[in-house]
Amino acid sequence: MSQYSFVILIGVLIASISQIFLKKSAEKKYSSFVYEYFNIQVLIGYLLMFFSVFLNLYALNNGVNVKEVPVIESLGFIFVPILSILFLNERLVAKQYAAIVLILSGIFVFYL
C-alpha cells in the first residue's frame, strides 16, 4: 500500500464522517424547507464529502494503483457502522457483523 493509497483511505474516513453529519441532520425536524437543506450539519457533511473527492483525485493523479481503489473504498462499509455506534448510538445486528467480517476477509485476500 503506497502513501497515496493512505490518502484514499483518509478520504474514505472523511466521507464516512460526512455521512454521520448528514444522518444527524436528517433525524431533526426543521421549521422550513430551507433550514432542512441549509443547516450547519448538512453544509459540513457536503463539504467533507467534496473534500474526500478531491483527496481521491489527488491520489489517483499521483500514481495510486487503480485496482486498489475499490478495495480501499469498501472500508467505508466498515467505517460508517463503527461511527454510527460511536456517534448515533445505533446497534448492529448479526448480519452487519457478518458483512464486516466478509469485507475484511476480502481485503485480506486481495492484499495476500
Side-chain angles (χ1 to χ4, degrees):
M1 197 155 141
S2 70
Q3 68 184 22
Y4 295 111
S5 297
F6 185 70
V7 171
I8 290 180
L9 181 64
I10 297 299
V12 171
L13 181 61
I14 290 171
S16 300
I17 293 169
S18 78
Q19 291 180 30
I20 299 301
F21 273 101
L22 293 172
K23 172 78 185 258
K24 286 185 85 70
S25 175
E27 291 176 341
K28 294 181 180 178
K29 299 287 184 195
Y30 296 95
S31 59
S32 77
F33 177 78
V34 174
Y35 289 123
E36 187 172 348
Y37 292 99
F38 293 103
N39 62 64
I40 191 71
Q41 289 178 326
V42 170
L43 295 175
I44 289 172
Y46 283 126
L47 286 173
L48 288 173
M49 188 66 73
F50 286 128
F51 182 63
S52 74
V53 169
F54 289 119
L55 284 176
N56 284 347
L57 289 174
Y58 171 75
L60 287 167
N61 283 332
N62 286 297
V64 72
N65 195 345
V66 177
K67 72 177 184 177
E68 290 182 10
V69 175
V71 177
I72 298 169
E73 290 283 340
S74 69
L75 288 170
F77 293 109
I78 296 170
F79 291 154
V80 171
I82 292 170
L83 292 171
S84 295
I85 291 169
L86 295 174
F87 297 107
L88 301 175
N89 297 322
E90 292 186 0
R91 303 192 80 163
L92 298 183
V93 296
K95 286 183 181 181
Q96 290 168 314
Y97 285 113
I100 289 171
V101 169
L102 191 62
I103 290 168
L104 289 173
S105 300
I107 293 170
F108 178 74
V109 167
F110 179 81
Y111 281 108
L112 276 181

